[in-house]
Amino acid sequence: ISGIEVCRKLRQQDATRDIPIVMVTAKGDEVDRVVGFELGADDYVVKPYSVRELMLRVRAVLKRGRSAVAKTSARTVFGCLSVDAEAHRVWVDDDDIVLTALEFKLLVTLLERRGRVQSRDRLLDDVWGYQVAITTRTVDTHVKRLREKLGAAGQYIETVRGVGYRMCEAPGGGDA
Protein backbone atom coordinates (compact mmCIF):
# COMPACT_ATOMS: atom_id res chain seq x y z
CA ILE A 1 0.00 0.00 0.00
CA SER A 2 1.35 3.44 -0.87
CA GLY A 3 2.10 6.15 1.66
CA ILE A 4 -0.57 8.30 0.03
CA GLU A 5 -3.16 5.57 0.63
CA VAL A 6 -2.00 5.12 4.24
CA CYS A 7 -2.40 8.88 4.79
CA ARG A 8 -5.87 8.84 3.26
CA LYS A 9 -7.01 5.88 5.40
CA LEU A 10 -5.64 7.44 8.61
CA ARG A 11 -7.49 10.70 7.97
CA GLN A 12 -10.78 8.91 7.21
CA GLN A 13 -11.03 7.08 10.54
CA ASP A 14 -12.09 8.84 13.75
CA ALA A 15 -9.56 6.97 15.87
CA THR A 16 -6.58 8.06 13.74
CA ARG A 17 -7.81 11.33 12.23
CA ASP A 18 -5.69 13.56 14.48
CA ILE A 19 -2.45 11.56 14.40
CA PRO A 20 0.40 13.73 13.07
CA ILE A 21 1.71 12.47 9.73
CA VAL A 22 5.18 13.22 8.35
CA MET A 23 5.66 11.71 4.91
CA VAL A 24 9.26 10.66 4.19
CA THR A 25 9.62 9.79 0.53
CA ALA A 26 11.79 9.84 -2.56
CA LYS A 27 8.99 11.50 -4.53
CA GLY A 28 10.00 15.15 -4.54
CA ASP A 29 7.99 16.57 -7.44
CA GLU A 30 5.69 19.45 -6.60
CA VAL A 31 2.59 17.45 -7.58
CA ASP A 32 3.57 14.66 -5.17
CA ARG A 33 4.10 17.11 -2.29
CA VAL A 34 0.79 18.86 -3.04
CA VAL A 35 -1.11 15.56 -3.08
CA GLY A 36 0.50 14.59 0.24
CA PHE A 37 -0.57 17.84 1.88
CA GLU A 38 -4.05 17.74 0.33
CA LEU A 39 -4.60 14.28 1.82
CA GLY A 40 -3.66 15.56 5.27
CA ALA A 41 0.08 15.14 5.75
CA ASP A 42 1.42 17.58 8.33
CA ASP A 43 4.88 17.67 6.75
CA TYR A 44 6.60 16.19 3.71
CA VAL A 45 10.31 15.33 3.73
CA VAL A 46 12.09 14.30 0.53
CA LYS A 47 15.05 11.90 0.51
CA PRO A 48 17.92 12.42 0.94
CA TYR A 49 17.53 14.21 4.26
CA SER A 50 19.60 14.59 7.39
CA VAL A 51 18.46 12.80 10.54
CA ARG A 52 18.80 16.10 12.40
CA GLU A 53 16.42 17.87 9.99
CA LEU A 54 13.91 15.01 10.23
CA MET A 55 14.02 15.12 14.05
CA LEU A 56 13.44 18.90 14.02
CA ARG A 57 10.52 18.53 11.64
CA VAL A 58 8.96 15.76 13.77
CA ARG A 59 9.33 17.91 16.90
CA ALA A 60 7.72 20.87 15.12
CA VAL A 61 4.75 18.74 13.99
CA LEU A 62 4.30 17.31 17.49
CA LYS A 63 4.49 20.80 19.00
CA ARG A 64 1.81 22.08 16.61
CA GLY A 65 -0.30 19.03 17.44
CA ARG A 66 -0.17 19.76 21.17
CA SER A 67 -1.33 23.34 20.66
CA ALA A 68 -4.09 22.13 18.34
CA VAL A 69 -5.49 19.79 21.00
CA ALA A 70 -7.01 22.74 22.85
CA LYS A 71 -8.62 23.97 19.62
CA THR A 72 -10.24 20.62 18.80
CA SER A 73 -12.31 20.83 21.96
CA ALA A 74 -14.60 23.25 20.08
CA ARG A 75 -16.63 20.22 19.01
CA THR A 76 -20.31 20.59 19.98
CA VAL A 77 -22.14 17.40 20.91
CA PHE A 78 -25.95 17.42 20.91
CA GLY A 79 -27.44 13.96 21.32
CA CYS A 80 -26.24 11.80 18.42
CA LEU A 81 -25.10 14.94 16.54
CA SER A 82 -21.53 16.27 16.74
CA VAL A 83 -20.41 19.46 15.01
CA ASP A 84 -16.89 20.84 14.74
CA ALA A 85 -17.42 24.37 13.39
CA GLU A 86 -13.70 25.09 12.97
CA ALA A 87 -13.08 21.92 10.98
CA HIS A 88 -16.40 22.28 9.12
CA ARG A 89 -17.35 18.67 9.98
CA VAL A 90 -20.53 16.98 11.13
CA TRP A 91 -21.11 13.50 12.53
CA VAL A 92 -24.26 11.59 13.40
CA ASP A 93 -23.55 8.55 15.57
CA ASP A 94 -19.86 8.86 14.51
CA ASP A 95 -20.79 8.70 10.80
CA ASP A 96 -19.27 11.56 8.83
CA ILE A 97 -22.02 13.64 7.17
CA VAL A 98 -21.20 15.68 4.07
CA LEU A 99 -23.02 19.01 3.95
CA THR A 100 -22.91 21.91 1.54
CA ALA A 101 -21.60 25.22 2.90
CA LEU A 102 -25.15 26.58 3.22
CA GLU A 103 -26.45 23.45 4.94
CA PHE A 104 -23.55 23.59 7.37
CA LYS A 105 -24.11 27.26 8.14
CA LEU A 106 -27.84 26.63 8.59
CA LEU A 107 -27.15 23.76 11.01
CA VAL A 108 -24.63 25.77 13.04
CA THR A 109 -27.01 28.75 13.22
CA LEU A 110 -29.88 26.59 14.47
CA LEU A 111 -27.61 24.75 16.91
CA GLU A 112 -26.19 27.99 18.36
CA ARG A 113 -29.73 29.33 18.83
CA ARG A 114 -31.32 26.09 20.00
CA GLY A 115 -34.63 26.47 21.75
CA ARG A 116 -35.34 29.78 19.95
CA VAL A 117 -37.54 30.04 16.88
CA GLN A 118 -35.81 31.40 13.80
CA SER A 119 -38.08 32.94 11.18
CA ARG A 120 -37.46 32.11 7.55
CA ASP A 121 -36.62 35.77 6.85
CA ARG A 122 -34.10 35.84 9.69
CA LEU A 123 -32.49 32.62 8.46
CA LEU A 124 -32.28 34.06 4.93
CA ASP A 125 -30.49 37.14 6.30
CA ASP A 126 -28.19 35.29 8.69
CA VAL A 127 -27.35 32.16 6.70
CA TRP A 128 -27.40 33.44 3.15
CA GLY A 129 -25.74 36.61 4.44
CA TYR A 130 -27.57 39.25 2.47
CA GLN A 131 -31.00 40.47 1.48
CA VAL A 132 -31.98 38.00 -1.19
CA ALA A 133 -34.68 38.30 -3.82
CA ILE A 134 -35.82 34.71 -3.35
CA THR A 135 -38.78 33.26 -1.54
CA THR A 136 -38.66 31.94 1.97
CA ARG A 137 -39.51 28.53 0.52
CA THR A 138 -35.78 28.25 -0.22
CA VAL A 139 -35.24 27.91 3.53
CA ASP A 140 -37.84 25.11 3.63
CA THR A 141 -36.03 23.25 0.85
CA HIS A 142 -32.65 23.52 2.58
CA VAL A 143 -34.09 22.44 5.94
CA LYS A 144 -35.71 19.42 4.28
CA ARG A 145 -32.40 18.39 2.67
CA LEU A 146 -30.53 19.00 5.92
CA ARG A 147 -32.94 16.80 7.87
CA GLU A 148 -32.56 14.03 5.29
CA LYS A 149 -28.77 14.15 5.46
CA LEU A 150 -28.77 14.19 9.27
CA GLY A 151 -30.93 11.07 9.47
CA ALA A 152 -31.73 10.37 13.14
CA ALA A 153 -30.48 13.84 14.16
CA GLY A 154 -32.87 15.47 11.68
CA GLN A 155 -35.62 15.18 14.29
CA TYR A 156 -33.83 17.82 16.38
CA ILE A 157 -34.93 20.49 13.87
CA GLU A 158 -38.52 21.40 14.64
CA THR A 159 -40.95 23.21 12.34
CA VAL A 160 -42.88 26.04 13.97
CA ARG A 161 -45.86 26.39 11.64
CA GLY A 162 -46.30 29.81 10.10
CA VAL A 163 -43.08 31.10 11.69
CA GLY A 164 -39.93 29.12 10.91
CA TYR A 165 -37.67 26.56 12.54
CA ARG A 166 -35.93 25.85 15.80
CA MET A 167 -33.42 23.35 17.07
CA CYS A 168 -35.04 21.62 20.02
CA GLU A 169 -33.79 22.65 23.47
CA ALA A 170 -32.61 19.14 24.41
CA PRO A 171 -31.75 16.11 22.22
CA GLY A 172 -34.82 14.22 23.47
CA GLY A 173 -37.03 16.89 21.87
CA GLY A 174 -39.33 19.41 23.44
CA ASP A 175 -38.21 21.94 26.02
CA ALA A 176 -36.81 19.50 28.59
Side-chain angles (χ1 to χ4, degrees), residues 10-164:
L10 287 172
R11 291 297 185 236
Q12 287 176 344
Q13 297 175 13
D14 287 338
T16 58
R17 179 170 288 128
D18 297 323
I19 292 175
I21 298 173
V22 176
M23 296 188 81
V24 180
T25 177
K27 295 181 177 184
D29 291 337
E30 178 184 6
V31 68
D32 295 317
R33 291 190 311 267
V34 168
V35 167
F37 284 120
E38 284 178 342
L39 290 176
D42 295 292
D43 202 349
Y44 195 98
V45 182
V46 179
K47 295 176 189 177
Y49 57 88
S50 73
V51 174
R52 184 169 184 219
E53 177 189 7
L54 179 61
M55 294 301 294
L56 290 171
R57 287 177 177 267
V58 168
R59 282 190 194 123
V61 167
L62 290 173
K63 188 176 182 181
R64 284 193 305 260
R66 281 193 300 271
S67 65
V69 167
K71 294 178 187 171
T72 58
S73 64
R75 190 168 172 172
T76 302
V77 178
F78 188 75
C80 64
L81 176 68
S82 297
V83 177
D84 187 336
E86 289 180 10
H88 202 279
R89 300 196 63 188
V90 176
W91 300 268
V92 174
D93 290 326
D94 294 324
D95 291 330
D96 212 354
I97 306 299
V98 178
L99 300 177
T100 66
L102 278 172
E103 290 166 343
F104 184 81
K105 193 169 182 182
L106 177 61
L107 175 62
V108 168
T109 300
L110 290 169
L111 192 57
E112 287 173 348
R113 301 172 184 172
R114 65 181 161 258
R116 293 178 284 164
V117 178
Q118 303 300 305
S119 72
R120 289 171 178 86
D121 287 326
R122 172 105 190 247
L123 288 170
L124 277 174
D125 288 344
D126 295 346
V127 175
W128 277 253
Y130 50 87
Q131 296 291 335
V132 290
I134 55 177
T135 68
T136 55
R137 301 304 290 172
T138 299
V139 176
D140 298 337
T141 302
H142 278 81
V143 168
K144 179 178 185 265
R145 286 189 195 140
L146 180 59
R147 282 178 173 151
E148 288 171 356
K149 287 184 177 182
L150 293 178
Q155 69 183 351
Y156 300 154
I157 302 172
E158 302 172 332
T159 301
V160 180
R161 295 208 184 276
V163 181

Side-chain angles (χ1 to χ4, degrees), residues 169-170 173-176:
E169 185 75 27
D175 296 325

